[in-house]
Amino acid sequence: MFNRISYTWGLMRASWDVLKKDKTLLLFPLLSGFCCVLVLLSFAVPMFVSGAWHPPARDASSAQTTVYYGFLFLFYLANYFVITFFNTAIISCAMLRMAGGEPTVGDGFREAAARLPQIAGWALLSATVGLILRIIEDRSKWVGRIVAGLLGMAWTVASFMVVPVIVAERRGPFAALKGSTVLLRKTWGEQLVGNFSFGMIFGLLGIPAFGLIVLGIILGSTAAIVMCVAFAIVYFIVLALIQSALQSIFQAAVYLYAYNGAAPAGFESDVLASALRTK
């Protein structure tokens, strides 16, 4: 277990080196977050105004239920499309860099645009799964939340490598999911430990932001509180962008080695070879 953690840390350090060479990769998660906010507002405002914000009651008419879940499905579809599009762009750039190329932001957008059918298909499948989990949660509050949570975790793990498969192999949604589960059996340790390590590291790095907020409260003045909160928000945003970019690079590196059997540029062969569990 500790060897796996050590190897994964090696992958993470190499991912950081790739990001340092291509700092423009941070633009993709930034644009993704901005577009997701726009999608949220475009759906939340009409739902709030129409009063359809809350799930329909058990005795609600079929029309009310259909409208609510239909609206929710469209929101999931738009959101997953945006997220998958920008993830495809950044992973495409990461793979180009690891292949010895000099990718640009334009390259990322072109690669993502060339895979629009696969991205749309995956967004459709993800939205369907998300809606099913939401219905389970709504229909049985406590039990539904537990079941939906467990199924959601399983789905997240199984689909971890879907975007790299879409980028490298241009597979459709079901084939990409199948490819992801095959790779999962080879790289499960790195995927789970890598996600945990990223969360742990950036969780610790986020502590100073809370310190800033506390400092503003201690100082007492309104100006100090506003300034400290503003700095904390900016700090959180920067951390989130870096974390998202590093995770995408990490995914690309693990996929390339698992698929090709050769270490991508910037990564050590012995670390990758030791990190992957052979069948």
Side-chain angles (χ1 to χ4, degrees), residues 105-138:
V105 172
D107 291 328
F109 281 119
R110 279 190 292 273
E111 292 295 321
R115 292 162 177 79
L116 283 179
Q118 292 85 356
I119 293 172
W122 178 248
L124 181 62
L125 179 58
S126 298
T128 302
V129 172
L131 183 65
I132 291 172
L133 294 178
R134 181 56 183 266
I135 292 173
I136 292 173
E137 183 178 346
D138 288 343

Side-chain angles (χ1 to χ4, degrees), residues 34-50:
F34 177 74
C35 290
C36 284
V37 171
L38 292 181
V39 169
L40 176 62
L41 291 175
S42 67
F43 281 88
V45 172
M47 287 187 73
F48 182 80
V49 172
S50 64

Side-chain angles (χ1 to χ4, degrees), residues 201-222:
I201 292 170
F202 285 93
L204 293 174
L205 291 174
I207 293 177
F210 292 104
L212 280 173
I213 296 174
V214 172
L215 176 62
I217 295 174
I218 292 174
L219 292 175
S221 68
T222 302

Side-chain angles (χ1 to χ4, degrees), residues 223-241:
I225 293 175
V226 170
M227 183 176 296
C228 289
V229 170
F231 276 121
I233 291 174
V234 172
Y235 183 75
F236 273 128
I237 291 174
V238 172
L239 280 184
L241 294 177

Side-chain angles (χ1 to χ4, degrees), residues 11-12 15 87-88 90-91 94-95 98 156-157 159-165 180 183 187 190-191 194-195 198 243-259 264 267 272:
L11 292 173
M12 291 173 64
S15 299
N87 282 349
T88 299
I90 189 173
I91 288 178
M95 287 185 174
M98 294 174 198
T156 299
V157 173
S159 61
F160 185 85
M161 300 293 283
V162 162
V163 176
V165 171
S180 177
L183 290 170
T187 64
E190 285 60 50
Q191 293 174 24
N195 280 339
F198 277 117
Q243 181 181 4
S244 178
L246 288 180
Q247 284 180 321
S248 296
I249 296 169
F250 177 83
Q251 284 177 280
V254 173
Y255 169 84
L256 286 174
Y257 187 79
Y259 186 79
F267 290 78
L272 285 166

